[in-house]
Amino acid sequence: MLRDVKLEEISDGRIYGLNDMVKADTNGCNGCFKCCQSVGDTIKLTPFDVHMIKKATGKSFEKLLGDNKIEMNIVDGLILPNLKLIEGSGCSFLEDGRCSIHNVRPDICRLFPLGRIYTEEGIGYIIQKDECAKKDLSKIKVKKWIGIDNISENQEFIGAWHRLVRMAGDRIIELKKNGRGDAVKDITMFILNDFYVTDISKDISDTEIYNRLIAKINNAEKLINKI
């Protein structure tokens, strides 16, 4: 989901790389979980996020929906899942003030209070202004804060997924203008089913998961261009 705002409005105006030091370390949050109480539909889930949540919880995509753990919303013309906010208590995975899926928490949650930005040079990171309730954040390297061992593979997947969502969104706009609502439905249901509902083997490495998802993305781009 793209935000139509100036960089200076939401950050300190700088774009950071993986090896840069930033004031983002919450030092374990010390019992604070305010960010988990107001996520709403802002935590959009990538196919990798959903795969890891399904693997950790043992629940299918349909079961996660039925148990009100996730919900569906329209994002750039596509129907995509996000974490569900339970009124009065916060994120559906928040239990006794702690994240019950912390080890496999979604990519956006890992970043916070950082944000991600897409540039011609690739993926960069920003410090989101006034988002974190804690005021005594410590300096930490961006790569260490995100805490993903295979960060290069993660970035390659995130970049490819971002590209697909934008491309599919643009194609949907074009199809709607041409009165092809049936084709729009085909695209939205294809992405939903192929990337989220369909399971990926739980017994393969993260590297293989990323490789399979990127292959799916490349295939989806070809198919959508033909519609």
Side-chain angles (χ1 to χ4, degrees), residues 20-158:
D20 288 331
M21 299 292 290
V22 292
K23 292 194 71 174
D25 191 350
T26 61
N27 299 298
C29 298
N30 296 330
C32 177
F33 51 93
K34 288 185 178 180
C35 61
C36 302
Q37 293 179 299
S38 58
V39 293
D41 63 355
T42 61
I43 309 299
K44 311 299 182 185
L45 301 173
T46 70
F48 185 82
D49 292 333
V50 170
H51 168 77
M52 297 303 289
I53 292 173
K54 288 195 290 187
K55 183 177 179 180
T57 62
K59 296 182 178 182
S60 67
F61 185 79
E62 294 87 347
K63 183 65 173 172
L64 289 169
L65 280 171
D67 288 350
N68 287 320
K69 294 298 184 181
I70 62 176
E71 63 181 358
M72 309 300 297
N73 276 292
I74 296 177
V75 182
D76 299 328
L78 298 173
I79 302 173
L80 300 177
N82 56 260
L83 293 182
K84 185 173 179 61
L85 179 68
I86 307 301
E87 188 173 354
S89 58
C91 174
S92 56
F93 286 102
L94 189 64
E95 297 179 3
D96 298 322
R98 306 301 291 177
C99 175
S100 63
I101 55 167
H102 190 264
N103 289 339
V104 296
R105 62 196 182 279
D107 198 69
I108 294 178
C109 298
R110 284 185 175 276
L111 288 175
F112 189 82
L114 300 181
R116 188 187 293 116
I117 188 169
Y118 302 89
T119 69
E120 293 182 358
E121 291 74 32
I123 295 175
Y125 300 90
I126 61 173
I127 299 176
Q128 298 188 80
K129 185 186 297 184
D130 301 324
E131 289 291 326
C132 184
K134 293 199 66 181
K135 303 304 178 185
D136 55 344
L137 305 183
S138 302
K139 280 195 172 184
I140 189 170
K141 188 175 288 189
V142 170
K143 181 166 56 177
K144 184 175 181 181
W145 175 247
I146 297 172
I148 298 176
D149 292 333
N150 47 354
I151 188 65
S152 297
E153 294 164 341
N154 171 268
Q155 284 197 314
E156 183 181 1
F157 160 69
I158 291 295

Side-chain angles (χ1 to χ4, degrees), residues 79 172 175 180-191:
I79 302 173
I172 285 173
L175 290 168
R180 297 189 59 194
D182 56 333
V184 170
K185 183 178 180 181
D186 288 343
I187 291 175
T188 55
M189 294 311 297
F190 166 70
I191 290 179

